[in-house]
Amino acid sequence: MVTALEVVEGIKSGNISCEELLLQIYERIERSELNCFITLNKEAAVREAREVDKRREEEEYRRKKLLGVPVAVKDSISTRGIQTTCASKILTGYVPPFDATVVAALKKEGAIIVGKTNMDEFCMGSSTETSYYGPTKNPHDLTRVPGGSSGGSAAAVSAGETILALGSDTGGSIRCPASFCGIVGLKPTYGFVSRYGLIAYANSLEQIGPMASTVTDTALLLEIVSAKDEQDSTQIKIQNNASTNYCFSWLNGTRNEREEIKGMTIGVPKEFIEGSSPEVERSVWDAIHKYEDLGATYGEISMRNLKYALASYYIIAMSEASSNLARFDGLRYGLRTGKDEDWHTTFSRIRSEGFGEEVKRRIILGTYALSAGYYGKYYLKALKVRTLIKNEFEEALKTYDILAMPTMPFVAFKLGERIKDPLSLYLADVNTVSVNLAGVPSLSIPCGVSHGLPIGLQLVGKHFEEDELLKAAFVYEQNIP
Amino acid sequence: MIRKEEIEHIAWLARVALREDEKDLFEQQLSSILDYFAVLDEADTTDVEPTYHVIGITDVVREDEPKEALSQPEVLRNAPKKEQGYFKSPRIL
C-alpha cells in the first residue's frame, strides 16, 4: 500500500493518476466484506480527483500538502453535504450544512473525502458493534471486531480502503482500533485539535486525531488538522503548530533518527501491564528492550490510582453524554416519527426509537450520576479522582520523557463475545481511558502479532509534546524488521 | 443496586421511554455497573479539587462583528417538520 507522502509526490510528478487511485479504492470498498463505511462520497471524490489530475502543475495545487490523498472521515465528524449519522438511527438522513474545522482544513490542503466511516453509535463502544449500520469486521480475521469506536476508520486504513483516516478518541476510540487493526493512531493533547463540528459525546475528554499506516503519515495528518480555529473555545491559542510542523519535517527529512533517541527515558507503569495477556506483555517488553538497544533507558514505576480510572472515566463520560445528547429531540434535525402528541411524550418516544441500547444505557446512568442525591457520590467524586490521576501522570512525566504500555490488554476479540455484557466491554478500556482523564497525548503503534492478530504499543507523552511521541514511534518503526 | 422504579423515574427525567424488556435488562446491568463504580469510595479525595477541564481554560472572545451565517433554508433543510420558515414543535402546553 502506498503512503500519503508517496501519493502526494506521485501526483505532483505525474506518476500517479489521482482518478485511477480513487477508482481502485472504491473498487476495493465495493468488493469488501468489512463494512467500513456508512456513506460513500464517490461521485464528488472522483470528480475532484479528475480536477487534481488536470491542475496538478498549477502553483496553487503544487502547494497543497495532501494533494489528491484519499481520507476517510469518521461519521462523528460533520461534513457539509455528506450524510453524517454518528452511526445512529436518530441521525439517519442528516446532512450537515457546514464542515467541521478539521474537514475544512483537509479540503484546503487538497485531500479527497472517500466517505464516512462506521463506528460505535455516538462513539459509545470499543468494538464498532453498537453501530445502527451493523458491525465492522477486523481485516485480519473476519470473525473478530476491529476495535472501536473508530473501527471503520482503522479497518479501512488497514485494508487499503483509504490512505488516511480521521477518528475521534474519548476514551481510546482511536488507539483501540489502531491496536486491533495494526495501524498507527494518535490522540492529541486535549485542546490541540479543534472540536468544532465533532458531534459531542463527552466534551472534556475527546479529541479528533489522525490514523494512518505509517508514523510519518500520522504526523502529516496531525499537522493539518491541528490548524487554529476560533470556533472552539477550548482549543489552546498560545501554541501555534510549531511542534508538529517541526516533527513532520524532521520525520520527512534525512536526520539520523537513532541519535534523537539516545538518552530518552521511558517510564513503564506496572499497573498497565499486569492485566495483559502473556503474548501482549511479551511484545510490549520486546518493544521496550528494543528502545533500550537504540539508546533509551527505562524504569518501572507504579501508578496507584490507575485502579480508579475506569470508574472515574465512565461516570464523567456518561454524565457529559446525558447532557449532550439532550439535543436530539427530532425538532431541528433527525428522526421524527408518528403523530405529534404533547412535547414530553413525543420527545421521549422519538429518543426511544432513535437511540440504540448502549446509548440509552449511558444516558440513564449519566442522568442518574447527575441527579439530586447522587451527584456528590458519583459525578463530583469522579472529578476529584480525575485530579489524582492527572497528577499521577504529570508526576511520572516529570521523571520520564514518555511512558510505554500495552494499548489494549489483549488482541481483537470475537464479534459477539462481549457485547451482551456491557461491563466486560468497559473493562477492555482500562489502559486507554486514563490518558483522556489526564488530557495527555498518546499514540498506538503496532509492536507485534499473535496468531495473526496485531498488538499495539501505547506511548504517552507530556501535554503538547506530540513531537516527542511521534519521534519515538518513528525510531521504533524504522528499526523493527 | 438500582430498582426498576428508579430506572423508570430516571428514564422520564432523561426523556427516553424504555420498553418493559429494556427496564428488566437495565435493572440487572446497571446494578452491576454501579457496584463496579463503588470502587471510587476507596479513593481518598480529602482536600482534592475536582478537575472539570485538564487544560486551564480562559474565556475566548472575538470581535463582535457581523459575519456571514447559514441561510434560513440551510438551517431548516434538515428539519422534519417546518412551517412558514419556522421549526414546528409538538404542543408544549
Side-chain angles (χ1 to χ4, degrees):
Chain A
M1 206 49 214
V2 291
T3 66
L5 275 177
E6 290 164 349
V7 169
V8 174
E9 208 162 293
I11 288 174
K12 287 182 180 170
S13 66
N15 293 328
I16 292 179
S17 148
C18 188
E19 184 183 357
E20 274 173 37
L21 175 68
L22 262 296
L23 290 174
Q24 273 168 21
I25 280 178
Y26 282 112
E27 200 194 317
R28 211 170 284 144
I29 294 170
E30 281 151 17
R31 278 199 322 250
S32 171
E33 299 174 70
L34 299 174
N35 194 28
C36 294
F37 289 88
I38 294 174
T39 308
L40 291 176
N41 185 39
K42 187 172 175 180
E43 203 181 309
V46 173
R47 195 172 55 235
E48 285 163 30
R50 277 191 210 117
E51 190 74 4
V52 166
D53 287 330
K54 202 162 66 191
R55 302 179 60 183
R56 64 182 175 80
E57 284 178 326
E58 291 176 20
E59 183 54 32
E60 184 200 341
Y61 274 61
R62 298 196 71 80
R63 273 202 303 266
K64 294 182 189 290
K65 291 175 186 163
L66 282 179
L67 184 66
V69 177
V71 182
V73 177
K74 187 180 184 181
D75 213 25
S76 57
I77 301 170
S78 304
T79 42
R80 183 187 170 96
I82 308 173
Q83 180 186 237
T84 299
T85 70
C86 239
S88 182
K89 183 179 176 186
I90 210 162
L91 276 179
T92 295
Y94 169 65
V95 179
F98 67 101
D99 274 327
T101 300
V102 293
V103 172
L106 287 178
K107 289 180 175 173
K108 185 164 162 259
E109 293 297 343
I112 296 180
I113 310 294
V114 179
K116 305 300 295 292
T117 56
N118 200 12
M119 52 183 276
D120 283 293
E121 185 181 359
F122 285 106
C123 308
M124 298 178 183
S126 320
S127 65
T128 315
E129 290 171 288
T130 70
S131 169
Y132 174 65
Y133 297 92
T136 295
K137 292 168 184 167
N138 190 312
H140 298 269
D141 178 347
L142 298 180
T143 68
R144 289 175 189 269
V145 302
S149 66
S150 315
S153 285
V157 170
S158 172
E161 295 181 19
T162 185
I163 306 289
L164 299 176
L166 286 183
S168 60
D169 189 316
T170 312
S173 284
I174 287 175
R175 292 158 288 152
C176 160
S179 171
F180 281 2
C181 292
I183 64 160
V184 185
L186 184 144
K187 181 209 85 77
T189 306
Y190 184 81
F192 196 71
V193 175
S194 166
R195 289 181 296 109
Y196 180 71
L198 171 67
I199 297 174
Y201 156 28
N203 322 49
S204 84
L205 299 163
E206 57 209 7
Q207 276 285 286
I208 294 170
M211 304 174 82
S213 54
T214 67
V215 175
T216 316
D217 277 2
T218 306
L220 174 62
L221 187 52
L222 179 66
E223 175 183 321
I224 286 155
V225 296
S226 55
K228 292 297 139 222
D229 178 21
E230 66 174 23
Q231 311 246 45
D232 176 0
S233 64
T234 61
Q235 196 189 23
I236 298 301
K237 298 295 179 286
I238 41 166
Q239 304 241 345
N240 57 26
N241 292 343
S243 156
T244 49
N245 278 338
Y246 160 72
C247 190
F248 173 66
S249 13
W250 182 84
L251 297 176
N252 196 26
T254 53
R255 297 274 291 277
N256 180 358
E257 75 264 8
R258 272 176 181 252
E259 287 304 313
E260 289 286 330
I261 208 164
K262 281 200 178 124
M264 178 181 255
T265 55
I266 303 173
V268 184
K270 67 177 166 61
E271 288 83 358
F272 280 88
I273 297 192
E274 275 165 358
S276 307
S277 70
E279 64 271 21
V280 167
E281 191 173 338
R282 199 174 326 116
S283 291
V284 166
W285 275 118
D286 285 350
I288 293 163
H289 293 310
K290 184 79 206 175
Y291 275 114
E292 219 184 356
D293 295 343
L294 293 165
T297 56
Y298 78 88
E300 285 186 70
I301 57 171
S302 174
M303 293 175 75
R304 286 176 295 115
N305 289 311
L306 185 76
K307 58 177 178 285
Y308 306 127
L310 208 62
S312 167
Y313 165 79
Y314 271 100
I315 291 168
I316 294 168
M318 288 169 175
S319 299
E320 292 187 20
S322 72
S323 161
N324 273 323
L325 270 60
R327 76 191 59 181
F328 299 103
D329 57 6
L331 188 61
R332 290 150 301 159
Y333 40 73
L335 188 74
R336 176 97 157 250
T337 57
K339 204 168 162 293
D340 282 356
E341 295 164 72
D342 70 282
W343 167 260
H344 297 298
T345 310
T346 310
F347 190 15
S348 300
R349 192 192 59 235
I350 290 167
R351 289 158 61 80
S352 170
E353 289 173 25
F355 290 139
E357 191 183 298
E358 181 61 26
V359 175
K360 290 181 198 173
R361 205 159 22 234
R362 295 196 192 193
I363 290 175
I364 302 284
L365 276 169
T367 307
Y368 182 75
L370 290 174
S371 64
Y374 295 104
Y375 180 88
K377 178 176 166 57
Y378 292 111
Y379 185 62
L380 194 59
K381 182 77 181 183
L383 291 176
K384 289 180 177 174
V385 168
R386 181 179 191 178
T387 306
L388 298 178
I389 290 164
K390 177 176 173 264
N391 292 347
E392 210 162 50
F393 269 97
E394 285 172 354
E395 204 55 44
L397 287 163
K398 270 183 202 155
T399 317
Y400 295 96
D401 296 322
I402 57 169
L403 308 178
M405 61 202 76
T407 309
M408 298 300 288
F410 32 66
V411 294
F413 46 87
K414 293 263 187 193
L415 287 155
E417 186 181 321
R418 287 172 182 258
I419 193 75
K420 292 272 181 281
D421 178 3
L423 187 57
S424 81
L425 204 54
Y426 301 170
L427 294 173
D429 300 339
V430 61
N431 284 3
T432 50
V433 295
S434 53
V435 167
N436 299 71
L437 289 173
V440 285
S442 170
L443 64 75
S444 180
I445 180 170
C447 72
V449 174
S450 168
H451 302 288
L453 298 170
I455 295 168
L457 170 72
Q458 178 170 260
L459 300 178
V460 178
K462 298 177 180 126
H463 286 127
F464 299 108
E465 292 197 357
E466 276 76 359
D467 51 345
E468 289 300 314
L469 280 184
L470 287 162
K471 252 192 275 178
F474 179 73
V475 174
Y476 178 74
E477 183 187 59
Q478 297 301 305
N479 286 285
I480 46 168
Chain B
M1 263 309 277
I2 183 165
R3 286 170 298 109
K4 198 166 164 181
E5 300 77 68
E6 269 183 295
I7 291 178
E8 281 170 347
H9 175 62
I10 297 288
W12 169 246
L13 293 178
R15 300 292 184 270
V16 181
L18 295 180
R19 299 185 310 267
E20 280 309 309
D21 61 316
E22 284 176 324
K23 290 178 200 164
D24 293 334
L25 182 71
F26 283 6
E27 184 178 14
Q28 171 247 318
Q29 287 177 337
L30 302 196
S31 293
S32 67
I33 294 166
L34 289 171
D35 283 349
Y36 177 79
F37 288 170
V39 67
L40 292 190
D41 296 343
E42 295 166 20
D44 182 4
T45 51
T46 323
D47 300 329
V48 175
E49 291 293 316
T51 295
Y52 293 93
H53 270 277
V54 280
I55 309 291
I57 290 176
T58 49
D59 281 344
V60 181
V61 279
R62 62 165 170 77
E63 292 304 309
D64 187 18
E65 292 160 351
K67 283 186 179 180
E68 206 180 314
L70 293 174
S71 68
Q72 196 183 33
E74 279 178 306
V75 170
L76 286 168
R77 194 173 57 197
N78 282 286
K81 292 187 183 176
K82 53 202 149 190
E83 205 172 288
Q84 296 174 3
Y86 291 95
F87 297 112
K88 192 176 176 194
S89 149
R91 184 167 49 82
I92 289 175
L93 291 173

